[in-house]
Amino acid sequence: MTALAAFLLALYAGLVGAALPGALARAAWPQRAPALALAAWFGLAATFTVAVALAGYHLALSGSRAHAHGLLALFEPGAPVSGAEGPAVLVPIVLGAAWPLARIVRAARRARHDRATHLDRLTLAGRPDPQLGAVLLDHPVPVAYCLHRGPVVISSGTVAQLTDGQLRAVVQHERAHLAGRHHVLLVAGAGLADAFRALPLGRGLRAHVAPLLEMLADDRAARTCRPEDLAAAMCEVGALRPSPATLPAGGARTLLRMRRLLRPAPRLRFAVRLVTVALIALGPLAPYLLTCGPTPG
């Protein structure tokens, strides 16, 4: 029965890693609920990790005397339920969890190094502007971004080209990134995308996490400034490439973000959000309940 469990878990992992990311990427609802969409992407990554680790665990058990646990035990009535025969069978679980975690740690170290390098350059090229509450960079190209834990960086070109309302909207957008600790999610997304880069799941994480974080910052900034000002500022601010060290105000999917601000769609209904949250939570739990959870009866 453990061989069957390994097979079913491998199928489940294939569904989560190859099929569901494409469906989520094509869906229209994430732009209406970016926080929920981020939870869905990270939920897929967690589900895939759990399913692969448990598939390896049950494959290691397939030659032992262990029997099925969880709901699969219903198909083996009367059989004794036993545990693993030795710690070696836990190696697949350890390896399955360690790989994505190691990629996240690697991305965090890279982001920390990039931030330190960037701060050294800002010390030479920028100066604090108390009125803006940001570091002013003497550069003609309109640029606005923030580093992890700050500061917000605004170029002189941005100040020259934006109106006061637009400039305030850009600063609020960057402060929203800092208040929401979006860099932590960006680093986690970059690490998981690297870990699963050969799969649609990894490519989806790389393509969608940063734009969804930008939408979250847009929504938060729009509470304290005019959405029209923020949308207009997006057209002027130069598009830096998002990295774990920087989150720019312009950039990823600017036209879509402008449309969201100028023509906001209605929020998802509460029942839809509730069902989506339940499915996200159930995803990583399902492999455990199916094969390793309490035995019925």
Side-chain angles (χ1 to χ4, degrees), residues 119-217:
L119 282 175
D120 289 341
R121 294 173 179 171
L122 283 177
T123 302
L124 299 174
R127 63 183 187 276
D129 188 316
Q131 186 175 356
L132 282 176
V135 171
L136 186 62
L137 186 65
D138 189 15
H139 198 283
V141 176
V143 172
Y145 62 92
C146 64
L147 298 176
H148 179 41
R149 300 194 305 274
V152 174
V153 181
I154 304 290
S155 71
S156 57
T158 301
V159 177
Q161 294 197 26
L162 300 187
T163 67
D164 290 343
Q166 292 167 358
L167 186 59
R168 191 180 310 111
V170 167
V171 173
Q172 289 300 321
H173 173 94
E174 297 305 330
R175 288 177 178 168
H177 281 311
L178 296 175
R181 299 183 181 274
H182 292 172
H183 291 82
V184 176
L185 296 176
L186 195 64
V187 165
L192 291 170
D194 186 30
F196 308 133
R197 58 184 177 273
L199 297 168
L201 174 59
R203 295 191 288 272
L205 285 163
R206 192 175 304 280
H208 293 278
V209 168
L212 288 170
L213 290 172
E214 294 299 332
M215 292 177 194
L216 279 178

Side-chain angles (χ1 to χ4, degrees), residues 11-81:
L11 286 179
Y12 187 65
L15 175 68
V16 171
L20 292 184
L24 181 57
R26 292 188 298 271
W29 67 264
Q31 61 180 288
R32 298 169 59 188
L36 197 58
L38 278 169
W41 279 110
F42 285 109
L44 288 178
T47 301
F48 181 81
T49 300
V50 171
V52 168
L54 289 179
Y57 169 73
H58 282 279
L59 193 61
L61 282 179
S62 60
S64 73
R65 296 191 302 271
H67 293 280
H69 292 244
L71 297 179
L72 281 183
L74 290 172
F75 300 96
E76 196 174 353
V81 177

